[in-house]
Amino acid sequence: MRKSIRILLVIVTFVLLTCCYKGSTVKSTISNNTSSTTPKACNSKLTSRAAKIGDYYPFEKGTKYMYTGAGNEYNTYSVYVDYLMGNREQIIVNNGGTEAIKVLENKDGELRLISSKNEIYYRENFTYQINNNPEILLKQPLTKGTSWTLKDGSKRTITNVKVAIRTPLASYECIEVTTVRKETTSKDYYAANIGLVKTMYTNDGKVTSSLSKIEKKIPLVQTVKFYYPNEKNSMNYVTDKKLSFNTNDITRKIFENYLREVPNNNVGKLISDNTKIKSLYLNKDNMVYLDFSKEFTQEMNAYSAYENQILQYITNTFGDYYMVKKVYITVEGKPYSSGHISKKKGEAFIVDYKNLCYR
């Protein structure tokens, strides 16, 4: 009797291992900072219930996905998860030539593209935006034959649920989603626990993007120009700083810390140690709105010409980052006013890059 039980246990163990390793990866370059792990292809949750969007497109903070392209140089790109707010994810897509911001939503059994903005090189949280007619990327039930029509009239269909896909990173068993447009046909492949692993476009030729690397728990790094005053002359001293942003970091908080730092002893501080940035955003009027705490003016301790320099170089720093010409600086929500300089409501400071000196 005991011998029969042992034989039965061996058979059950073999079946379970076979299930878990079916479609397992052949290699991996997923990194968690400096460590490497093997992606999990086995999703035991899917064996006991119907698959959901979150199973095939998980949202994960601090994750960067690298895709290698073929057929077009711009199909090699990276995706970084910049904001993750509830059931919405904002990603930065960088193909080496430009950056785009996309907001995705997992709601009512659908993966939706809420917003897509091109040529955005600054951090701004767009997850709050409303879109009553989003593009549906993936739709439940995740079974072959599920189909829907896009707002441009194109048809998108789950054409297979067990497609073997090999990428530079690994091999996966994927859901295949086919989109038929007037002039092109595209196929997107989603793998359990991973997300999008491959995209293929066919027209006159074939263009593909395939997952080649996943990095976890890493920050977004942006190179930002900071402009500094110098009491001895009116030169525009410039230095590059690499700013690190983790998912959901507040941009003004990060800038606040870097504004207090000086690259060397030849230039002065832009703000005092006690000064806070109370709000920072790019408005629809294409002007940056920057509000400081009262310590900004109270602890500046600068004569007229030097105060002008400080304000000019703060204007240049934020104007450069947001790629605009005007910065509206306020203190405690009121127009900038000191013993030397007074601005009217709505009157902005103008970016001026004259007399540049890089340090």
Side-chain angles (χ1 to χ4, degrees):
M1 179 66 178
R2 290 181 179 178
K3 183 177 180 181
S4 298
I5 292 174
R6 285 197 297 269
I7 293 173
L8 179 60
L9 287 173
V10 170
I11 293 172
V12 170
T13 302
F14 175 78
V15 171
L16 289 173
L17 288 174
T18 303
C19 171
C20 283
Y21 282 99
K22 184 179 180 181
S24 62
T25 59
V26 295
K27 63 176 182 177
S28 172
T29 55
I30 293 183
S31 65
N32 182 350
N33 293 332
T34 56
S35 63
S36 295
T37 58
T38 302
K40 297 179 180 179
C42 174
N43 190 345
S44 58
K45 294 180 181 179
L46 302 185
T47 62
S48 59
R49 61 166 173 79
K52 296 183 178 181
I53 296 296
D55 299 321
Y56 280 86
Y57 201 98
F59 292 168
E60 190 171 358
K61 293 181 179 180
T63 305
K64 184 178 182 179
Y65 303 85
M66 300 294 296
Y67 294 85
T68 300
N72 187 310
E73 61 178 315
Y74 294 114
N75 272 52
T76 293
Y77 63 93
S78 66
V79 171
Y80 182 80
V81 180
D82 198 18
Y83 290 93
L84 186 51
M85 313 297 289
N87 65 337
R88 289 191 174 187
E89 172 190 71
Q90 180 171 307
I91 59 176
I92 298 175
V93 182
N94 188 322
N95 66 5
T98 185
E99 284 188 357
I101 300 294
K102 297 180 184 295
V103 178
L104 306 177
E105 179 183 55
N106 181 350
K107 185 178 181 181
D108 298 333
E110 297 175 344
L111 179 64
R112 302 167 175 176
L113 177 61
I114 298 298
S115 176
S116 182
K117 301 176 183 291
N118 296 322
E119 302 289 340
I120 302 293
Y121 300 98
Y122 56 88
R123 291 186 77 246
E124 192 78 52
N125 185 355
F126 297 105
T127 60
Y128 61 88
Q129 294 187 339
I130 298 173
N131 185 348
N132 294 321
N133 191 19
E135 178 183 349
I136 300 173
L137 304 177
L138 191 59
K139 186 180 179 70
Q140 294 176 200
L142 300 180
T143 56
K144 185 176 180 179
T146 298
S147 183
W148 60 99
T149 302
L150 304 182
K151 54 187 175 183
D152 64 356
S154 302
K155 189 175 182 180
R156 185 165 282 165
T157 306
I158 297 178
T159 46
N160 210 327
V161 292
K162 291 185 178 181
V163 180
I165 293 295
R166 185 182 180 90
T167 76
L169 175 61
S171 293
Y172 305 97
E173 186 175 89
C174 299
I175 290 176
E176 178 187 74
V177 179
T178 302
T179 306
V180 179
R181 304 183 187 274
K182 289 183 178 180
E183 298 180 354
T184 62
T185 298
S186 63
K187 293 180 182 291
D188 297 306
Y189 296 92
Y190 298 89
N193 303 313
I194 302 294
L196 183 67
V197 298
K198 185 173 183 177
T199 297
M200 181 172 63
Y201 299 90
T202 55
N203 191 354
D204 295 333
K206 183 185 292 186
V207 178
T208 63
S209 296
S210 301
L211 186 64
S212 55
K213 188 177 183 180
I214 300 176
E215 295 178 294
K216 296 187 176 183
K217 296 182 180 179
I218 65 165
L220 169 71
V221 179
Q222 292 184 329
T223 300
V224 180
K225 285 184 172 59
F226 280 76
Y227 296 76
Y228 291 94
N230 186 309
E231 291 187 77
K232 297 178 181 179
N233 57 49
S234 58
M235 293 298 295
N236 207 339
Y237 286 86
V238 189
T239 188
D240 288 338
K241 292 186 178 183
K242 292 187 180 299
L243 274 60
S244 295
F245 301 94
N246 292 309
T247 300
N248 290 346
D249 270 354
I250 300 172
T251 305
R252 62 180 172 84
K253 290 289 187 182
I254 303 301
F255 265 95
E256 192 178 281
N257 295 329
Y258 280 92
L259 284 174
R260 296 190 184 107
E261 298 177 357
V262 292
N264 54 62
N265 295 328
N266 297 320
V267 298
K269 275 189 174 183
L270 293 171
I271 64 173
S272 69
D273 290 341
N274 297 317
T275 298
K276 305 288 186 182
I277 298 178
K278 302 189 73 175
S279 68
L280 171 66
Y281 62 93
L282 177 62
N283 200 31
K284 293 180 180 179
D285 58 7
N286 208 35
M287 188 160 65
V288 173
Y289 284 67
L290 173 62
D291 186 48
F292 287 111
S293 65
K294 61 182 183 295
E295 289 80 10
F296 179 53
T297 51
Q298 290 178 351
E299 300 179 2
M300 187 179 291
N301 192 26
Y303 56 88
S304 179
Y306 192 50
E307 181 180 350
N308 266 306
Q309 275 190 294
I310 292 173
L311 292 167
Q312 183 62 65
Y313 300 153
I314 287 176
T315 298
N316 288 357
T317 298
F318 287 98
D320 190 291
Y321 181 69
Y322 286 95
M323 300 176 68
V324 298
K325 293 294 184 182
K326 296 181 179 181
V327 178
Y328 182 47
I329 298 176
T330 57
V331 177
E332 300 290 345
K334 298 179 180 180
Y336 185 85
S337 180
S338 69
H340 305 122
I341 301 168
S342 182
K343 290 284 189 178
K344 297 177 182 179
K345 185 176 182 180
E347 186 180 2
F349 289 87
I350 309 301
V351 172
D352 186 352
Y353 298 127
K354 291 179 182 177
N355 301 321
L356 289 175
C357 181
Y358 285 89
R359 290 278 179 165

